[in-house]
């Protein structure tokens, strides 16, 4: 099908023909329909080609920035896909790209005012905060006292003209909806505009079913699925937490309504473009392989192959959280980044169960290319590994262990013994020794006793000579950045020894 014909079939022809688009492809609205209309503009000047949606259908603005679409009966919002080249509208740091329309009838007019950026946005940065997950005011204060200043310092280091945005990757709170106010306050303090993803701990667990489980989240943050643009990158947020109507029970699943909307949304994106898609539950992980257990329905997205089909024409990075461990996997043009948490192990200690420090992902965009690293809260950006001396692993008391938490198969991890190169370290699946010390057993940690160490792929081991005095480990990421740490070895049996 020719592109113009396909666009017309989606009800998107108006932007090309110079008239407001009716998203359902009709010449005039049906009798009794609610009509959503208005203008997308900057300083009164209309902006053409902006996608506008009610979550079911999509229209694009005409040459004068006008849009018109017949609302679906279940429509709750009308919202735009913010175009490249414009600042993100925010309300106290939270992206505000939508207007409520539920219950309204007749002609409903909503204009969207944007501000043209004064700098080229082809270069920009974004951060992914996964699982801030506060359950108490004390957790909130820790977020504000530790994570907020860390992000502010990071942004300042890029210079005053740098363009940053954030993605709150779900579980913004831990079932305590009154703490959404604290989350918003923290975001406002960072100075970074944030787009937000719904997580399983952000749902109304007293709802009758999935259709009503996001009511509170929507009141606070707007739609649960949407898109926006910055530079050459198209960003998408989806809701992949499907509530099954029983308290705290859910599966990883993307509804057909969202997939149908996504198909229309991506029809406006040039094939080969870079797409960044954010969800809470990862679409896939290696957890089942590492543990030897069947993948749980709540641990990954059960209908992910249908999502991958829609993403196949694009170079896609998927951002996810939920697991409280750090892991990346790549296949073809698709790569998923499953992030360690801002909260560490639920605000009980400085590391996640897999040894990843509490922190967040940082992504640097240049055109269609993306580079990234993991930023540990309170540590310099170069902090990318931790070394354990002999005896840290009870199973192998003569080995040294390195945890390289943002490792993926494109990395290289090598070691030196007393200045002599020894080659690559051996990758191993296992438990981080510090996580074992902090969290293993029914009495640890005192705050949340359910926390346990998590099996990870990103551990590397080597056996130094009995007479070795010092080891050096260098980890080289896929971009050629080298991260190095040294450790003076103690005799076996001297207790847990690690770098900071």
């Amino acid at each position: 099908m020719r592109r113009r014909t396909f666009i017309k079939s989606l009800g998107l022809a108006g932007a090309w023909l110079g008239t407001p688009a009716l998203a359902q492809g009709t010449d005039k609205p049906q009798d009794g329909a609610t009509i959503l209309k208005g203008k997308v503009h900057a300083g009164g000047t209309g902006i053409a080609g902006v996608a506008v949606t009610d979550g079911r259908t999509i229209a694009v603005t005409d040459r004068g920035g006008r849009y018109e679409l017949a609302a679906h009966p279940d429509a709750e919002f009308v919202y735009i896909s913010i175009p490249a080249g414009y600042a993100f509208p925010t309300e106290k740091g939270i992206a505000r790209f939508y207007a409520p329309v539920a219950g309204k009838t007749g002609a409903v007019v909503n204009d969207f005012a944007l501000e043209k950026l004064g700098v080229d946005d082809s270069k920009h940065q974004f951060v992914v905060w996964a699982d801030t997950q506060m359950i108490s005011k004390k957790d909130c204060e820790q977020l504000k006292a530790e994570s907020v200043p860390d992000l502010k310092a990071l942004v300042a280091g890029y210079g005053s003209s740098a363009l940053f945005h954030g993605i709150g990757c779900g579980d913004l709170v831990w079932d305590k909806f009154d703490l959404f106010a604290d989350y918003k306050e923290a975001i406002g303090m960072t100075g970074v505009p944030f787009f937000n993803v719904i997580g399983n701990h952000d749902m109304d667990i007293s709802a009758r079913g999935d259709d009503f489980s996001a009511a509170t989240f929507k009141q606070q943050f707007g739609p649960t699925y949407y898109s926006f643009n910055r530079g050459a990158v198209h960003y998408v947020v989806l809701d992949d937490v499907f509530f099954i109507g029983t308290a705290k029970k859910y599966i990883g699943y993307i509804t057909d309504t969202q997939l149908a909307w996504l198909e229309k949304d991506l029809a406006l994106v040039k094939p080969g473009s870079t797409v960044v898609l954010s969800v809470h539950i990862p679409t896939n992980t290696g957890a089942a392989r590492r543990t030897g257990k069947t993948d749980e329905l709540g641990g990954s997205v059960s209908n992910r192959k249908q999502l991958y089909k829609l993403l196949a024409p694009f170079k896609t990075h998927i951002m996810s959280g939920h697991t409280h461990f750090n892991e990346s996997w790549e296949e073809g043009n698709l790569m998923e980044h499953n992030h360690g948490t801002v909260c560490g192990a639920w605000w009980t200690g400085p590391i996640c169960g897999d040894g990843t420090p509490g922190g967040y992902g940082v992504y640097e965009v240049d055109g269609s290319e993306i580079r990234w690293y993991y930023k540990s809260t309170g540590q310099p950006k170069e902090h990318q590994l931790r070394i354990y001396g002999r005896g840290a692993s009870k199973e192998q008391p003569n080995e040294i262990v390195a945890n390289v938490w943002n490792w993926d198969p494109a990395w290289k991890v090598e070691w030196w013994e007393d200045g002599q190169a020894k080659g690559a370290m051996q990758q191993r699946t296992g438990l981080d020794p510090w996580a074992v010390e902090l969290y293993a057993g029914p009495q640890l940690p005192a705050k949340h006793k359910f926390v346990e160490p998590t099996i990870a792929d990103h551990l590397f081991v080597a056996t130094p000579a009995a007479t070795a005095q010092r080891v050096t480990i260098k980890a080289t990421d896929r971009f050629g950045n080298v991260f190095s740490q040294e450790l003076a070895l103690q005799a076996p049996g001297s207790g847990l020894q690690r770098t900071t």
Side-chain angles (χ1 to χ4, degrees):
M1 183 182 292
R2 294 173 61 187
R3 179 170 172 79
R4 179 163 176 158
T5 303
F6 182 45
I7 289 173
K8 187 173 182 179
S9 73
L10 293 175
L12 306 175
W16 306 98
L17 301 177
T19 58
L22 282 170
Q24 293 179 328
T26 58
D27 294 327
K28 62 180 180 179
Q30 299 296 315
D31 292 340
T34 297
I35 303 302
L36 307 176
K37 59 196 302 184
K39 182 177 182 179
V40 183
H41 65 92
T45 301
I47 306 171
V50 179
V52 186
T53 184
D54 65 347
R56 299 295 185 111
T57 54
I58 298 176
V60 291
T61 56
D62 65 11
R63 294 185 183 96
R66 300 183 304 273
Y67 72 90
E68 186 174 320
L69 63 150
H72 188 276
D74 296 332
E76 297 178 77
F77 302 95
V78 59
Y79 48 105
I80 64 172
S81 184
I82 303 168
Y86 292 86
F88 297 137
T90 61
E91 185 176 322
K92 297 181 180 180
I94 303 298
R96 182 77 187 209
F97 52 92
Y98 59 91
V101 298
K104 298 182 179 181
T105 58
V108 179
V109 179
N110 284 288
D111 293 342
F112 295 91
L114 299 178
E115 180 182 347
K116 187 74 175 175
L117 288 170
V119 296
D120 179 12
D121 64 353
S122 60
K123 287 188 176 182
H124 64 273
Q125 296 79 34
F126 67 96
V127 299
V128 177
W129 270 19
D131 300 80
T132 44
Q133 202 156 343
M134 297 87 67
I135 199 170
S136 67
K137 283 289 186 178
K138 185 176 180 180
D139 294 347
C140 296
E141 292 308 312
Q142 194 168 347
L143 176 72
K144 296 170 190 175
E146 298 176 5
S147 305
V148 167
D150 192 89
L151 178 53
K152 290 179 68 175
L154 174 85
V155 172
Y158 280 80
S160 58
S161 62
L163 289 174
F164 263 89
H165 68 275
I167 298 170
C169 214
D171 282 1
L172 312 181
V173 297
W174 189 353
D175 301 324
K176 300 292 185 179
F177 294 162
D178 58 314
L179 300 182
F180 278 140
D182 292 88
Y183 173 79
K184 288 183 172 183
E185 182 183 352
I187 294 305
M189 293 166 61
T190 69
V192 175
F194 262 72
F195 296 85
N196 295 286
V197 181
I198 188 171
N200 52 290
H201 287 292
D202 304 317
M203 298 189 306
D204 295 280
I205 58 176
S206 61
R208 189 168 63 188
D210 187 67
D211 288 347
F212 305 99
S213 64
T216 301
F217 183 92
K218 291 174 181 178
Q219 291 171 1
Q220 298 287 333
F221 304 103
T224 58
Y225 60 95
Y226 52 92
S227 69
F228 59 96
N229 303 274
R230 175 144 280 184
V233 178
H234 185 65
Y235 292 86
V236 178
V237 168
L238 295 179
D239 169 9
D240 67 350
V241 185
F242 189 91
F243 180 60
I244 64 172
T246 300
K248 298 190 177 184
K249 297 294 184 180
Y250 56 87
I251 61 174
Y253 178 80
I254 301 172
T255 62
D256 188 66
T257 296
Q258 290 184 80
L259 292 175
W261 171 86
L262 179 63
E263 185 174 20
K264 298 170 186 177
D265 178 78
L266 294 177
L268 298 175
V269 181
K270 181 181 178 181
S273 298
T274 298
V275 172
V276 172
L277 185 146
S278 297
V279 292
H280 178 60
I281 296 177
T283 65
N284 201 10
T285 75
R289 169 180 49 79
R290 289 190 292 271
T291 62
K293 299 178 181 178
T294 303
D295 191 18
E296 295 182 3
L297 286 174
S300 62
V301 175
S302 56
N303 61 337
R304 57 183 172 266
K305 291 184 178 179
Q306 301 304 320
L307 174 65
Y308 298 163
K309 287 179 183 178
L310 297 180
L311 297 171
F314 308 99
K315 183 178 180 180
T316 302
H317 292 266
I318 298 176
M319 307 292 157
S320 57
H322 185 59
T323 62
H324 291 240
F325 57 68
N326 205 65
E327 177 183 28
S328 295
W329 62 268
E330 186 175 17
E331 185 175 330
N333 290 333
L334 179 67
M335 186 169 191
E336 180 158 6
H337 309 262
N338 185 210
H339 296 80
T341 66
V342 174
C343 70
W346 292 268
W347 302 107
T348 64
I351 59 175
C352 303
D354 67 340
T356 301
Y360 51 96
V362 183
Y363 297 81
E364 302 171 333
V365 181
D366 186 354
S368 61
E369 298 300 314
I370 303 180
R371 299 163 65 97
W372 59 89
Y373 59 93
Y374 187 87
K375 176 64 175 68
S376 303
T377 303
Q379 297 284 353
K381 62 184 291 186
E382 294 78 18
H383 182 61
Q384 297 294 324
L385 69 154
R386 186 186 309 112
I387 309 173
Y388 297 93
R390 287 182 293 222
S393 172
K394 294 181 180 179
E395 292 76 18
Q396 300 293 334
N398 295 319
E399 289 183 332
I400 58 171
V401 179
N403 190 334
V404 187
W405 42 81
N406 211 34
W407 173 88
D408 65 57
W411 284 57
K412 182 170 59 175
V413 183
E414 302 165 292
W415 73 294
W416 282 254
E417 178 184 286
D418 294 330
Q420 181 179 359
K422 305 297 286 186
M425 296 186 75
Q426 178 187 353
Q427 184 187 0
R428 177 171 296 171
T429 298
L431 299 176
D432 176 87
W434 194 18
V436 171
E437 181 185 55
L438 291 174
Y439 307 136
Q443 299 305 314
L444 294 174
K447 183 177 179 179
H448 296 306
K449 293 182 174 59
F450 66 85
V451 176
E452 290 292 333
T454 305
I455 296 175
D457 283 334
H458 44 72
L459 300 180
F460 296 82
V461 300
T463 305
T467 56
Q469 299 296 306
R470 180 173 296 274
V471 294
T472 302
I473 296 177
K474 294 182 180 180
T476 306
D477 70 11
R478 62 168 55 215
F479 308 112
N481 299 307
V482 180
F483 308 102
S484 177
Q485 283 194 6
E486 291 188 357
L487 181 66
L489 296 175
Q490 298 175 356
S494 299
L496 181 65
Q497 180 192 15
R498 58 176 172 80
T499 56
T500 56

